[in-house]
Amino acid sequence: MSKCYDVVIIGAGPAGINAGATLAEMGLQVVLLDEQQSLGGQIYRNISHASAELLADMGAEYQRGRELVARFEQSGAGHEPGATVWHVEADGHVYYSKEGTSHQLKANYVLVATGAMERPVPFPGWNLPGVMGAGAVNNLAKEAGLVPDCEVALVGSGPLLLLEASLLIKKGVRISTILETTPKLPPLTAVAKLPPALKRMDFLTKGLKMVSEIKRSGAEHYKGVTKIKALGKERVETVEAYSDSEQLHFPAGLLLTHFGVIPNTHIFRLIGCHLEWNQEQRYWFPKADQWGRTNFEKIFAAGDGAGVRGALAAEYRGELAALELARCLGVIPTYERDLLARPIREAILHDHHPRPFVDAVYAPLFSKETLDKDTVLCRCEQVRVQDVRKAVQEGVRDVNEVKIVTRCGMGPCQGRMCGPALAEVMAAELSAPPERMGTLTVRPPLKPIPLEEVATMELEGSAAQPADLFKNQSK
Ligand SMILES: Cc1cc2nc3c(=O)[nH]c(=O)nc-3n(C[C@H](O)[C@H](O)[C@H](O)COP(=O)(O)OP(=O)(O)OC[C@H]3O[C@@H](n4cnc5c(N)ncnc54)[C@H](O)[C@@H]3O)c2cc1C
């Protein structure tokens, strides 16, 4: 028989940890599932085992994670590390794989707090060995204390690009260049959003400090670059780009890319949750009310997976969702929920001041010219930009039709790496907004698992046979 919980939480980042601790402290049966081996999510990855050196490098913000984890551990909430969730049903069944065995859980409510992922942006050579996400290098530093031992170049856009550059500089890594696609001058839309951001001088000062650290390091730093290319025979050797009409060329033993982060919406799409489009940041996020409730009664969303707002907001939104879940489960009355929520909402407002400005400054830019026709778009199935353009020219109008015709998005990553860019390529070709292209359909298993694991699972509920699990519930 599958275990039954009041709440199953997926994702042990600040949102999931805080929600789990809040619910368990109220005496509810909670379990937190995460594919990572320890609590912390992306920002506080491996925080419990971090060395003194890493803690010093990462600064006070990283250390905040220790308090969160300590509170969670004392709360009595359950934690399943190394648990990869590969299916969730709207009725509260959750399926995960751990150490070669798959399990089914039943929950009165499921809180999806699966965070964000780096926005994948294809450019010529992005699939060469030696080109990797800046977030991956950040993960290696937190997880294993590893830093690159060669000359590094960074390309892309967003505060985390600069954060990663400044961390590498602290570790003594040689950076040849930072090539930002962010315009040299902020757009007018950003200027209008500056006054509220000034209320958070601590945040802006942190950004300015990172820029001055980069300057002092001697790394060449360009903004407004276009036409980025990673070049090399067996692996990346150099990076090329344009600043106005000047061609730039830099050595790159390792080329780190980062183009901002977007919500990880796979579980929401699998269930069939309604999505909304963020026009400025060009991403989908689940439609949810102020407590994180989606259009499915039992499915809640919190943290960056529900819309990217950063680690502190994730923590607060996890707590808000927990308060509403506690009310739904009859542990607290409505007035108490509202009373407890008031200071959290004030903290959210304070934290939010700089966000509209930052989002406007780092609004992603796409145009037909930014994508070279020979660029590999879908790395799993080796589909190129020109294959997608051809399908569009032949009359295909929906990302799922392109998937059928070209196999773009049909590989094991289920479109994580190509889905957002696929919509952009189609939209640019048709001079239409990308949200009109739709989203790739997601089916279980969310992550590849051996069939044997599914076949040997003990099941109950709506799926009487393992094969029933693979029906598409979002249609
Ligand atoms: C690679 C990366 C590195 C980042 N580093 C920083 C940083 O150094 N500083 C900073 O300020 N911000 C950083 N961010 C942004 C930061 O992630 C968020 O603001 C914050 O961590 C969001 O918290 P969260 O609780 O919403 O989700 P997260 O912290 O992202 O946690 C989500 C968790 O869900 C788990 N998960 C996802 N899918 C599944 C699944 N199917 N099964 C099981 N578990 C699953 C993940 O393993 C992860 O632990 C980073 C983002 C990324 C993508």
Side-chain angles (χ1 to χ4, degrees):
M1 233 175 69
S2 61
K3 282 193 200 155
C4 198
Y5 290 89
D6 291 317
V7 183
V8 168
I9 302 172
I10 309 168
I17 297 176
N18 211 22
T22 304
L23 290 163
E25 283 164 2
M26 292 183 185
L28 291 161
Q29 291 292 315
V30 187
V31 69
L32 180 52
L33 308 175
D34 198 297
E35 57 194 346
Q36 288 190 45
Q37 292 301 335
S38 59
L39 296 162
Q42 298 292 9
I43 181 166
Y44 307 131
R45 182 177 281 267
N46 202 31
I47 184 86
S48 309
H49 308 111
S51 63
E53 192 188 347
L54 184 67
L55 287 171
D57 286 345
M58 294 287 175
E61 276 179 21
Y62 184 59
Q63 301 204 25
R64 183 183 176 93
R66 285 209 146 173
E67 289 155 36
L68 263 184
V69 168
R71 182 184 160 208
F72 180 89
E73 285 173 345
Q74 283 162 18
S75 72
H79 173 217
E80 281 287 353
T84 300
V85 174
W86 55 263
H87 189 27
V88 181
E89 291 170 319
D91 67 0
H93 282 100
V94 176
Y95 303 80
Y96 69 94
S97 168
K98 180 173 168 151
E99 292 166 0
T101 308
S102 275
H103 309 267
Q104 181 194 43
L105 297 179
K106 175 88 178 84
N108 285 321
Y109 294 95
V110 179
L111 175 60
V112 183
T114 44
M117 54 178 269
E118 291 188 296
R119 180 194 303 274
V121 173
F123 57 85
W126 78 310
N127 50 342
L128 275 175
V131 182
M132 63 194 287
V137 168
N138 187 284
N139 290 351
L140 285 170
K142 290 174 184 163
E143 201 83 65
L146 294 174
V147 285
D149 64 353
C150 58
E151 195 164 24
V152 172
L154 293 100
V155 298
S157 170
L160 287 179
L161 182 80
L162 302 180
L163 177 69
E164 187 53 31
S166 74
L167 286 174
L168 291 175
I169 290 164
K170 270 191 205 143
K171 299 301 291 179
V173 175
R174 233 166 353 110
I175 294 182
S176 63
T177 186
I178 301 163
L179 303 175
E180 279 196 76
T181 53
T182 316
K184 287 181 186 167
L185 290 175
L188 281 178
T189 48
V191 177
K193 291 169 182 167
L194 182 59
L198 295 173
K199 291 183 189 161
R200 283 291 310 279
M201 282 314 285
D202 56 324
F203 187 89
L204 298 179
T205 312
K206 187 183 161 196
L208 292 172
K209 202 171 149 216
M210 286 190 308
V211 173
S212 85
E213 275 165 6
I214 290 166
K215 201 164 182 189
R216 263 185 288 135
S217 77
E220 302 262 9
H221 188 176
Y222 293 85
K223 288 181 94 172
V225 304
T226 55
K227 298 183 191 158
I228 297 163
K229 273 186 191 170
L231 303 167
K233 279 200 180 120
E234 300 293 318
R235 52 170 295 120
V236 64
E237 290 160 17
T238 56
V239 56
E240 185 188 285
Y242 281 82
S243 172
D244 299 324
S245 56
E246 182 194 357
Q247 194 189 46
L248 308 169
H249 211 85
F250 288 97
L254 195 62
L255 178 61
L256 304 186
T257 68
H258 178 87
F259 293 89
V261 293
I262 57 174
N264 182 358
T265 55
H266 267 60
I267 291 182
F268 302 109
R269 280 152 58 199
L270 170 75
I271 299 170
C273 293
H274 295 161
L275 299 177
E276 285 188 83
W277 176 252
N278 181 320
Q279 186 66 39
E280 189 164 53
Q281 281 291 310
R282 298 167 91 100
Y283 64 60
W284 292 103
F285 62 101
K287 191 172 175 157
D289 69 10
Q290 55 173 323
W291 306 101
R293 185 197 308 275
T294 68
N295 52 307
F296 289 102
E297 194 205 333
K298 286 173 176 275
I299 309 294
F300 279 64
D304 273 4
V308 176
R309 298 196 205 155
L312 268 185
E315 190 183 312
Y316 301 141
R317 286 153 91 199
E319 192 153 2
L320 284 184
L323 292 178
E324 170 61 358
L325 288 166
R327 189 198 66 82
C328 294
L329 288 158
V331 178
I332 53 171
T334 306
Y335 79 85
E336 192 177 343
R337 175 202 69 182
D338 293 343
L339 204 67
L340 292 170
R342 203 175 298 156
I344 304 170
R345 291 202 191 287
E346 279 166 16
I348 288 179
L349 275 180
H350 177 71
D351 179 63
H352 189 69
H353 287 312
R355 179 67 47 183
F357 174 68
V358 172
D359 280 355
V361 169
Y362 293 109
L365 301 167
F366 279 95
S367 71
K368 209 168 169 175
E369 294 70 43
T370 55
L371 285 162
D372 182 274
K373 72 177 173 47
D374 292 320
T375 304
V376 172
L377 190 56
C378 173
R379 295 150 70 128
C380 301
E381 297 290 329
Q382 291 293 304
V383 181
R384 290 173 190 273
V385 167
Q386 63 187 357
D387 303 322
V388 171
R389 286 187 180 150
K390 184 164 171 276
V392 172
Q393 284 154 14
E394 286 168 359
V396 177
R397 292 292 178 268
D398 177 276
V399 285
N400 290 298
E401 290 172 23
V402 173
K403 180 174 169 181
I404 293 165
V405 174
T406 65
R407 297 189 63 81
C408 186
M410 214 177 265
C413 89
Q414 291 227 32
R416 280 181 182 79
M417 294 304 285
C418 65
L422 167 60
E424 294 285 357
V425 173
M426 293 176 66
E429 195 60 23
L430 293 165
S431 303
E435 67 271 28
R436 288 253 299 276
M437 306 300 126
T439 55
L440 289 171
T441 303
V442 177
R443 291 197 176 85
L446 286 164
K447 309 249 171 138
I449 45 159
L451 270 179
E452 186 192 356
E453 270 192 39
V454 184
T456 53
M457 272 178 76
E458 278 182 36
L459 293 172
E460 62 172 38
S462 57
Q465 300 293 328
D468 296 337
L469 295 174
F470 297 97
K471 286 181 183 158
N472 180 15
Q473 54 178 323
S474 66
K475 293 274 161 178

